[in-house]
Amino acid sequence: MKVSGRGSGRVSVAGLLAMRPGSRTRLCHRLRRHTGRKGERRSLSEHDYIALIDGIHQLVRAPLVLVWDRLNTHVSHAMRDLISAREWLTVFIQPAYAPELNAVEYLWAHVKHSLANLANVALDRLATLVRNRLKRLQYRPDVLDGFLAGTGLSLDLPPPSH
């Protein structure tokens, strides 16, 4: 989305849907504003993503299984090193191009649709609007479950071993 005014830039958001059998689905996210200054990174870094994952781990206090798309930052050598340093984290990578298997793609489509009719806004206002939309979704586990159901994937737990 275009932003108006001086200091225009972009807003990057990383989101994660966390589900656990018997608990409500949770949405966790990190948002970063990029002002367009010379030399400033124009996207989220490996450290931004790992901070999100570490935050989820602190929230749920349990091992995590992460299913990720093939974004270059997700599969970089630096990210592999950060992942291997976390024994509580298991990562599976999705097939090369399979956005229909990524529940977060449905989330982004929902958020972008809610922002579709906005005129050019200032970067700070856009960041606030995105945060607001995501905050509202955090309290709508039924909608989050719908994003997960949209993938057609299911969580099949192995039978307990006796």
Side-chain angles (χ1 to χ4, degrees), residues 58-146:
Q58 289 176 355
L59 178 70
V60 301
R61 297 184 179 153
L64 297 179
V65 176
L66 182 65
V67 180
W68 246 352
D69 60 17
R70 293 181 179 266
L71 183 70
N72 60 354
T73 312
H74 294 172
V75 296
S76 71
H77 291 292
M79 183 55 78
R80 279 188 248 158
D81 293 343
L82 290 166
I83 290 169
S84 66
R86 289 156 176 80
E87 68 281 348
W88 45 264
L89 179 60
T90 303
V91 176
F92 293 97
I93 303 294
Q94 292 179 339
Y97 185 74
E100 71 281 359
L101 299 178
N102 188 344
V104 177
E105 292 294 337
Y106 296 102
L107 168 75
W108 297 143
H110 182 83
V111 171
K112 288 176 184 177
H113 180 75
S114 75
L115 299 171
N117 292 324
L118 292 176
N120 286 356
V121 295
L123 185 62
D124 289 339
R125 176 78 176 128
L126 177 60
T128 300
L129 289 168
V130 171
R131 269 192 204 97
N132 179 276
R133 299 307 196 276
L134 292 171
K135 185 76 167 174
R136 278 195 238 156
L137 283 170
Q138 286 177 316
Y139 297 102
R140 306 268 324 266
D142 54 327
V143 175
L144 301 177
D145 289 341

Side-chain angles (χ1 to χ4, degrees), residues 22-66:
S23 297
R24 71 177 178 86
T25 302
R26 296 174 182 246
L27 166 62
C28 299
H29 64 278
R30 297 268 188 220
L31 185 139
R32 181 172 295 268
R33 289 178 43 243
H34 309 283
T35 59
R37 292 189 179 108
K38 188 172 183 173
E40 181 185 41
R41 186 180 173 106
R42 292 175 38 104
S43 62
L44 295 168
S45 72
E46 288 86 352
H47 292 285
D48 293 318
Y49 286 105
I50 211 69
L52 174 61
I53 294 165
D54 287 343
I56 298 277
H57 182 246
Q58 289 176 355
L59 178 70
V60 301
R61 297 184 179 153
L64 297 179
V65 176
L66 182 65

